[in-house]
Amino acid sequence: MTPNTPSVAKWFIIAGLILLGIGGVLWLLGRSGISIGNLPGDLRFELGENTTCFVPLVSSILLSLILTLLLNLVLRIIK
């Protein structure tokens, strides 16, 4: 069974738009001086001289919100 070419092309276009959206958001955040991983609320523990534990709590929440909004937008466009 071969896939329908217009259907496959549609999914490649959607995937490209999603990547474009993510890249645009990261570019805008970088231009505004906000760096993912260095936000207030990202936890960094230094345990001793050679051990560091980094927990990007706020960055993870922000990234989750952005991806949720993008996914909802794409799903509304598809329907």
Side-chain angles (χ1 to χ4, degrees):
M1 186 168 142
T2 60
N4 189 1
T5 303
S7 176
V8 173
K10 178 181 169 183
W11 283 108
F12 275 120
I13 290 171
I14 290 170
L17 290 174
I18 291 171
L19 288 174
L20 182 68
I22 293 170
V25 167
L26 291 175
W27 179 74
L28 287 173
L29 287 174
R31 298 268 296 175
S32 68
I34 299 173
S35 176
I36 297 291
N38 293 329
L39 296 174
D42 290 341
L43 306 174
R44 178 181 301 264
F45 302 104
E46 295 187 16
L47 308 168
E49 192 172 308
N50 296 326
T51 307
T52 302
C53 180
F54 179 65
V55 182
L57 187 63
V58 175
S59 295
S60 298
I61 292 170
L62 181 64
L63 189 60
S64 175
L65 286 172
I66 291 169
L67 291 175
T68 300
L69 291 173
L70 283 173
L71 181 62
N72 283 324
L73 181 65
V74 168
L75 289 177
R76 286 181 191 249
I77 291 171
I78 292 174
K79 286 184 181 180

